[in-house]
Amino acid sequence: MKQIVELILKPNFVADIANGYPLILKEAAEPIDGTLEEGTILKIVRPNRKYIATGYYGKQNKGIGWILTNNPKEEIEEVFFAEKFKNAFKKRERFYESTDTTAFRVFNGEGDGIGGLTIDYYDGFYLASFYSEGIYAFRKTIFSALKEIVNFRGIYEKKRFDTNGQYVEQDDYVEGEVGEFPIIIRENGMNFAVNLNDGAMTGIFLDQKNVRLALRERFSEGKTVLNTFSYTGAFSVAAALGGAYETTSVDLAKRSLPLTIEQFSVNGIDYEQQQIKVMNVFDYFSYAARHQLKFDVVVLDPPSFARTKKMTFSTAKDYPKLIGEAIDITASNGVIIASTNNASFNMKKFKTFIDKAFKEKNKRYKIVEQYSLPEDFVTLEDYPEFNYLKVCIIQLLK
Ligand code: SAH
């Protein structure tokens, strides 16, 4: 039996939680006793000790835990998780049926009722990501509920709860078939090589699926495409399959070169006809400007925060500058695809970054398409702040 501890909310935070806000903010209650174990069930009460909700204690960025239910009788045991999973899988039925797309998110944290836990499906393999020690404390129950409900080839996990949601290095295999990685998954008919047991990332960011499709279908034919912060080159693959004249992928991580070659190859694209540069994007911008290179399409998909020996980059501070650099090397009438997964600002703010950059360059533009998380990344309608992805497709105007 898990211990249950009462957490008395400060008056200002009662209404939000009572109305369904899922995150227990650090400042919502008096500091929790340092000896309390993460994973402890919290009975969340009003200052007068009346029940509001049940949650769990788990430290993650701004929060100290997540709400799980507002039913005082509901116990947080296997049936609880099984029910949540069932509902979530039901919502993804049509994804399971597709042969065109064989990787997608099946459980999206608070959007599916359990903050701090996501589960992705990769062609028969399930990958569970745990975002705090607290949710990891339920690991056994979670996997046993999962196994009750789905047939699987294998299960893998990521612990993402080192300080600030960093990945904890480990062997990520849990049970079932040991994957022979890379496995090839499909997304809207494109192939992607995926490795579930090689660090924090798998080779593909599933949340960009609609953007990859848009790039392939509407912005690539006959175009030159620069893909910055390209990682395994997934956007370059989409562009090449969409008929791009040439793609250029830029990423400073050495591993990006073999991984990008692999992504092209599993799609039958001759990587020697494409450019792959292992270098700092900002150095590449200078190089391109010096050589007066212009691209029809420039993709910007930086990490929220990055530090190299020479510099630090933060999307919240430096995005306008990044767009400015991109404008300089985008052909007139070209397109910039600007993306960020930084949850600390919203789409409105993101658009002010775009506007600022274009004003500074004295250029006109039009946002022709915009994207947030795709349908399988279920989010709470009332709380758009958890829908972290923001992508604008921007057309430069003469
Ligand atoms: N756009 C990619 C995902 C990007 S992940 C996709 O669609 O799959 C972020 C990538 O940025 C990482 O691969 C990291 O190596 C790279 N990166 C971070 N800082 C960089 C810099 N200054 N220059 C080039 N690449 C950088």
Side-chain angles (χ1 to χ4, degrees), residues 299-337:
V299 179
L300 303 173
D301 184 26
S304 290
F305 192 82
R307 174 175 285 137
T308 64
K309 276 174 221 132
K310 277 189 279 178
M311 60 177 298
T312 59
F313 171 84
S314 118
T315 39
K317 198 162 61 53
D318 302 317
Y319 218 112
K321 183 171 162 273
L322 182 64
I323 295 177
E325 303 253 28
I327 292 171
D328 288 342
I329 58 165
T330 304
S332 52
N333 274 330
V335 162
I336 296 174
I337 301 183

Side-chain angles (χ1 to χ4, degrees), residues 195-313:
N195 188 335
L196 302 184
N197 204 6
D198 186 25
M201 305 193 281
T202 64
I204 184 86
F205 285 94
L206 297 177
D207 55 2
Q208 294 280 15
K209 127 173 80 190
N210 292 339
V211 185
R212 280 188 286 268
L213 188 61
L215 173 60
R216 187 184 86 196
E217 290 195 328
R218 291 186 290 287
F219 299 97
S220 293
E221 179 86 61
K223 307 288 197 227
T224 53
V225 178
L226 172 65
N227 179 12
T228 64
F229 306 95
S230 55
Y231 180 41
T232 66
F235 283 120
S236 309
V237 166
L241 291 175
Y245 175 76
E246 185 184 60
T247 66
T248 303
S249 306
V250 183
D251 195 297
L252 56 68
K254 286 206 184 65
R255 60 161 192 236
S256 68
L257 177 63
L259 292 175
T260 304
I261 290 176
E262 181 171 65
Q263 295 299 32
F264 280 127
S265 303
V266 300
N267 284 284
I269 302 162
D270 179 2
Y271 68 88
E272 290 186 338
Q273 303 296 315
Q274 313 294 328
Q275 304 287 334
I276 306 170
K277 313 268 184 199
V278 176
M279 68 191 285
N280 191 315
V281 162
F282 295 95
D283 294 337
Y284 186 80
F285 282 138
S286 318
Y287 163 88
R290 237 181 7 255
H291 291 80
Q292 291 171 353
L293 300 184
K294 295 276 182 194
F295 295 90
D296 299 314
V297 180
V298 176
V299 179
L300 303 173
D301 184 26
S304 290
F305 192 82
R307 174 175 285 137
T308 64
K309 276 174 221 132
K310 277 189 279 178
M311 60 177 298
T312 59
F313 171 84

